Amino acid sequence: MIKIKYLVFVVLLFTLLLTACNSNGAATNAEAKKENSTESNKENGGKTLRLGYINATGSTSEGKPAVSGAEGWAIEKGFLQEELKKIGITEIEYYAFPNGPNLNEAMASGEIDLGIFGDTPALLARGAGQKTRLIGLASIYQDIWLVTNKKNGISKLEDLKGKTVATANGSYMFRYIQGLLKEEGLLDEVKFVSLFPPEALASLEHGDIQAYAFPTYMGPKHVKLGFPLVLQASKTTPELTGTSVIVATEKYLDGNPEFLSVWDAIRSNAVKDLKEHGEEYYQYVADVSQQDLDVVKESIPLDNIREESFPEEGIKLLEGTKKFLVAQKLIKKDFELENWILRE
């Protein structure tokens, strides 16, 4: 396989349903930025794991994937590489995506084997028939920060009536915005614009949008830049926070029957280790994501990273998100979570 250190990431912005339903195996029109592969001295006949993750900021420390959570810590400490090598997976390739729907496309077309991303795009893809299994929850209570601009902003949610709010279409922040507006009876009274987080700064500064729902890192960062915070999901509506899920293709799991038990053990050990070395872990995340340490600490409370693969609180949040997406007819065909979950 020819190794390419970096691929220029090209994104075509699709509508939510088109993106979510693109699960027929056709090649995608978007390529992720490929980070360096793990240097594991791939042996002849060794297998590769192609791992996709979300990097909404686009920032990374050269040579290292900007994967946070227990999965990133396992990579940093070499746990993941060492244990996977024992079952014949001798190389890991990392692909960074700006948003969950783009990761979905790559998974649907067979370009990646495993994805760590938000619950909403993962649920939409499964509801559209994409052949994946949920193998764990990377983190729960994933926060969202609704900030306003400095020119013609708002002070409370009701002020958005007749105005414009933005976030990334199909993301867990999208579900948050839709849920908030529905609760306030404003779903049809507010204009929604889809923007990736890095694009939001200019629109906020120019006053083109009145509010933006930011994800991890980007929320605290913009509050730090002086953009007024209107609402923070974890403090006002924790039931609308996101869940970071770990999804693998059925094809990869079928071809690697030992993978799930090894992955679960690696991740569980990594959670224990990172909680014992909290400050070191936070510094690692700050380094690979190129974010300020205080921003990282506010974005990733250690209690949100659980040792168990399927914490009860996370499953409850996931079920709530699925019910909302079904009610809004964004998931065309409902399904049982237990039929999607693959436990060891």
Side-chain angles (χ1 to χ4, degrees):
M1 181 185 297
I2 298 174
K3 296 297 176 187
I4 303 174
K5 187 172 183 180
Y6 291 104
L7 295 177
V8 177
F9 179 61
V10 182
V11 178
L12 294 179
L13 186 60
F14 293 100
T15 63
L16 173 63
L17 293 178
L18 178 61
T19 304
C21 296
N22 184 19
S23 56
N24 59 5
T28 65
N29 290 320
E31 290 186 62
K33 180 179 180 181
K34 179 181 174 184
E35 309 292 348
N36 284 348
S37 302
T38 298
E39 294 180 3
S40 55
N41 298 318
K42 185 176 179 182
E43 302 167 1
N44 291 334
K47 296 181 179 180
T48 299
L49 171 66
R50 299 169 299 172
L51 188 156
Y53 67 98
I54 304 303
N55 184 359
T57 68
S59 301
T60 183
S61 179
E62 186 173 350
K64 287 187 177 183
V67 183
S68 60
E71 301 75 25
W73 191 241
I75 294 165
E76 170 68 6
K77 291 299 179 179
F79 305 154
L80 188 64
Q81 301 90 309
E82 292 169 10
E83 295 302 313
L84 289 183
K85 192 173 182 180
K86 294 176 183 178
I87 59 171
I89 300 172
T90 57
E91 186 168 17
I92 308 173
E93 295 176 355
Y94 307 99
Y95 293 83
F97 296 83
N99 198 24
N102 304 104
L103 190 154
N104 267 339
E105 287 186 76
M107 187 170 285
S109 64
E111 296 169 14
I112 62 171
D113 307 305
L114 181 146
I116 304 170
F117 59 130
D119 51 9
T120 295
L123 287 164
L124 289 168
R126 178 66 180 186
Q130 192 164 315
K131 294 183 178 181
T132 62
R133 298 300 296 271
L134 178 65
I135 66 170
L137 306 183
S139 66
I140 61 177
Y141 298 121
Q142 199 166 10
D143 219 342
I144 306 104
W145 291 258
L146 183 67
V147 307
T148 189
N149 67 43
K150 303 172 186 177
K151 287 188 174 182
N152 55 353
I154 61 171
S155 60
K156 56 186 183 299
L157 190 66
E158 304 90 274
D159 295 340
L160 273 176
K161 185 175 182 179
K163 297 181 180 177
T164 303
V165 65
T167 198
N169 206 0
S171 65
Y172 81 98
M173 303 90 71
F174 172 82
R175 178 272 199 265
Y176 169 71
I177 282 294
Q178 295 287 302
L180 274 183
L181 296 177
K182 185 175 185 297
E183 285 184 0
E184 292 295 327
L186 295 171
L187 202 54
D188 297 323
E189 304 291 335
V190 177
K191 181 181 178 181
F192 174 78
V193 174
S194 181
L195 289 175
F196 287 135
E199 301 169 338
L201 180 59
S203 294
L204 283 170
E205 286 181 333
H206 296 155
D208 298 330
I209 58 176
Q210 278 67 55
Y212 190 93
F214 280 109
T216 297
Y217 308 145
M218 298 294 274
K221 179 178 180 179
H222 282 77
V223 172
K224 194 174 177 181
L225 289 172
F227 290 95
L229 177 66
V230 180
L231 294 170
Q232 186 174 341
S234 63
K235 295 180 179 179
T236 56
T237 51
E239 71 279 6
L240 295 180
T241 55
T243 306
S244 180
V245 299
I246 309 166
V247 173
T249 66
E250 292 181 358
K251 181 180 179 180
Y252 192 80
L253 293 169
D254 290 343
N256 297 275
E258 297 176 280
F259 176 80
L260 181 61
S261 61
V262 174
W263 175 273
D264 278 351
I266 294 167
R267 189 182 174 281
S268 178
N269 289 334
V271 174
K272 293 176 185 176
D273 193 78
L274 75 83
K275 290 190 176 183
E276 290 174 1
H277 304 89
E279 288 302 317
E280 185 184 348
Y281 164 71
Y282 276 133
Q283 190 59 61
Y284 151 75
V285 177
D287 290 343
V288 296
S289 64
Q290 297 294 287
Q291 301 297 322
D292 293 342
L293 187 59
D294 60 338
V295 165
V296 170
K297 288 184 175 182
E298 185 175 349
S299 295
I300 314 174
L302 293 186
D303 189 53
N304 290 357
I305 305 172
R306 304 294 174 86
E307 188 178 327
E308 59 268 44
S309 296
F310 297 102
E312 184 178 345
E313 294 165 85
I315 295 299
K316 185 177 179 181
L317 286 169
L318 201 59
E319 186 65 52
T321 298
K322 182 175 72 71
K323 286 181 179 179
F324 175 82
L325 295 172
V326 170
Q328 294 300 113
K329 303 189 186 309
L330 297 174
I331 289 180
K332 291 185 177 181
K333 186 177 181 181
D334 197 3
F335 60 93
E336 294 293 331
L337 277 184
E338 281 300 323
N339 293 336
W340 185 33
I341 291 172
L342 183 63
R343 302 178 191 273
E344 186 184 350

